[in-house]
Amino acid sequence: MSQRFEPNDLAELKDMYDVIVIGSGGAGLTSAIQASELGLKPVILEKMSTVGGDTKRASSGMNAAETFVQTEHGIEDSVGKFYYETLRGGHGQNDPELLKYFTEHSSRAIEWLYKEGVQLDDLTITGGMSVPRTHRPHTTEPIGAYLVNGLLEQVRAKQIPLFCGAKVTAINGQDKVSGVQVQTANGNQAIQSKAVIIATGGFGANKALLAQYRPDLSKYKTTNQPGNTGDGILMAEDIGAQVVDMDQIQVHPTVQQDTDHVYLIGETVRGEGAILVDQDGKRFVNEMETRDKVTNAINKLGGTGAYLIFDQSVRDRAKAIDFYNSVGLVKSGSDLGELAEKSGIDGEMLNQAVDKWNRSVSDRLDMAFGRKTGLHVLDKPPYYSIHISPAVHYTMGGVKTNDQTQVLKSGGEPIQGLYAAGEVVGGLHGSNRIGGNSIAETVIFGLRAAQQVRDYFFDM
Ligand code: ADP
């Protein structure tokens, strides 16, 4: 984006809007833009001083099937395959109603984004998928900042008010919402609205909640931004909402965490050809397996983590690597021996592993681990490595909604005027989320939430 995005001055915060959107990640921005396009007057309330949530950190892309982009790239895909592979990745525990709506509306979401100037016209692939359906910008840059900046352009163009430092502390109303309580530097304030869209993301940065649902994960660091503390889930529960799958937490396998900072190394790096080796220089897993399986394999190495190994060609196809390099996460060598020495890996074994891998690619047959996607020979120097180990990344559980994004009570009846979209919602991903499905979820259900709010206004 050419100009820095400036949120509105808190002094401009009014005490009534058509619809209040809580959170400024992919789901919040999408739903506010669509609400405005449908003739409503939304406001976006963001508790942090910056916008974009965890969406801004997303790397690989947005999954969608039967899109015009796939057609242009000669990729044959189907909604059915997308449904089945997501269900298989989630171990059959995905909410079928949400999954059906999700897979059937992904292509339309790509088209909507295109119209808004967010052009995801290149493709890559993530673990657990059989064809390239992860849409990304043609520059191959990480999707997160690109998407958020593109959506912010629309927020600005449509003059949608967006306030930072505006923390929603409660949703007002019981069976029917009437607004929210918000806390800002100017004090506490009640804001009225007939509808509220919760788009507050997950709770990967809330240590207490993680400890409550998954004490076994307490030793892990998190890739989440500090604002993702599950507020939306807790506030919805306070007014009777049902939650599901709260113990289903995704640990991402490839996270660089040797310094104080935690950097997720996007799945694109493997999708574009990187392999994983252990300290002995040996491959140990099908790198394109689902995230839970790759994480388990790394954990079995006994705490040493593992190394992503790739060549210049992979780097050319995954722009994010330039960033990883600029912050010192990447080691390089003019040949594999030099790389192994700098990385602290056994050089002879690494040479053998890459040799064997290149033969597997040429034969299109990975006898050792059965990898079928991201098949590229590694033969263009320099060679690179990134040391990685798993970290808490995504919370699959959250508030229960139907496919109309209505938040449901324990008896299954909707809370009138309350909608939710994005990571705050539980159920879509079952017990393991496929890379590229979270951005897709924010856009697909962000659009849906706004459309439902419009219908709700019509029905009143
Ligand atoms: P999603 O991917 O589902 O859109 P994100 O993590 O990208 O979720 O964005 C969620 C946003 O919601 C974050 O920017 C987070 O800081 C914000 N948020 C979380 N809780 C609150 C709250 N109580 N009030 C306002 N904003 C919140």
Side-chain angles (χ1 to χ4, degrees), residues 22-28 45-48 52-55 166-168 199-201 225 227-228 231 235 421-423 442:
I22 319 174
S24 69
L45 302 178
E46 167 58 53
K47 73 173 177 182
M48 304 301 281
D54 273 345
T55 299
K167 180 180 178 182
V168 175
T200 48
Q225 64 110 11
N228 281 41
D231 302 9
M235 291 188 286
E423 191 177 348
T442 66

Side-chain angles (χ1 to χ4, degrees), residues 204 210 217 220-224 249-252 390-394:
L210 287 173
L217 297 181
Y220 286 93
K221 292 186 182 172
T222 180
T223 64
N224 283 201
I249 314 275
Q250 179 161 75
V251 176
H252 194 290
V392 164
H393 179 51
Y394 189 89

